Amino acid sequence: LMGKVLVNESSLSGIADAIRGKNGSTDTYMPNEMAAAITAIETGGTTDTNTIKGIIDRSITSLVIPDGVTTIENSALSYCESLTSATLPDGVTTIGKFAFCWCNSLPSINLPNSLTSIDMSAFSYCTKLTSVKLPEGLTTIGDSAFEKSGLTSITVPSSVTTI
């Protein structure tokens, strides 16, 4: 991903464990409670070129995700608070939980026509996100997908079967 270090699968499992309660609960904490878990990420690589799993340099301002990527994993770009531009290629089908959460400088995003699923809180707390066009073919919008974003209105395509 153009010189950026990616987070490996075991790091993502560690983040998920840290986000869940210490008593084995499957409750999910709010995005502002995830910061401590995210700062504990260990750097590592991935050989899975179809998945964006995570970016260590959270100070990035612009991102172009390469062709061939089909999934933006959970929390992959969360807390990239300086991100003002993100380009997703056609072929991306899934945007995971908290994927762009707290990207509060992102004013808009063009979602590819291939997108079928936006998971829970994917764009929550993107306070400057005022423009998004949901593509036809999108079938699932997760809980709080755009919570506390800057959207004032949104048109949900008829292909959506689950919100």
Side-chain angles (χ1 to χ4, degrees):
L1 183 64
M2 299 190 287
K4 301 295 181 197
V5 178
L6 300 176
V7 177
N8 64 27
E9 192 66 37
S10 64
S11 295
L12 289 174
S13 294
I15 292 169
D17 291 344
I19 292 169
R20 289 194 257 309
K22 292 181 182 178
N23 62 0
S25 166
T26 57
D27 292 342
T28 302
Y29 286 76
M30 292 304 296
N32 61 342
E33 297 169 310
M34 293 171 50
I38 290 171
T39 58
I41 294 172
E42 295 176 3
T43 61
T46 180
T47 58
D48 182 355
T49 58
N50 295 322
T51 302
I52 299 300
K53 294 191 178 206
I55 293 187
I56 296 300
D57 182 0
R58 303 251 181 231
S59 66
I60 63 170
T61 58
S62 179
L63 177 69
V64 176
I65 296 175
D67 288 337
V69 170
T70 58
T71 302
I72 312 298
E73 285 283 344
N74 299 346
S75 302
L77 297 157
S78 62
Y79 288 94
C80 289
E81 295 183 71
S82 300
L83 188 65
T84 58
S85 171
T87 303
L88 281 62
D90 200 38
V92 170
T93 59
T94 304
I95 297 176
K97 296 175 184 174
F98 306 104
F100 287 88
C101 182
W102 282 103
C103 291
N104 52 17
S105 294
L106 189 64
S108 65
I109 190 159
N110 290 323
L111 300 175
N113 291 330
S114 55
L115 188 65
T116 59
S117 176
I118 299 173
D119 214 332
M120 179 178 91
S121 298
F123 294 95
S124 62
Y125 294 89
C126 293
T127 55
K128 290 190 180 171
L129 184 63
T130 59
S131 174
V132 65
K133 183 180 184 291
L134 299 178
E136 279 297 330
L138 182 69
T139 59
T140 303
I141 301 173
D143 293 344
S144 305
F146 296 95
E147 177 186 24
K148 307 277 185 183
S149 72
L151 293 178
T152 56
S153 69
I154 191 165
T155 301
V156 178
S158 60
S159 57
V160 172
T161 57
T162 305
I163 299 181

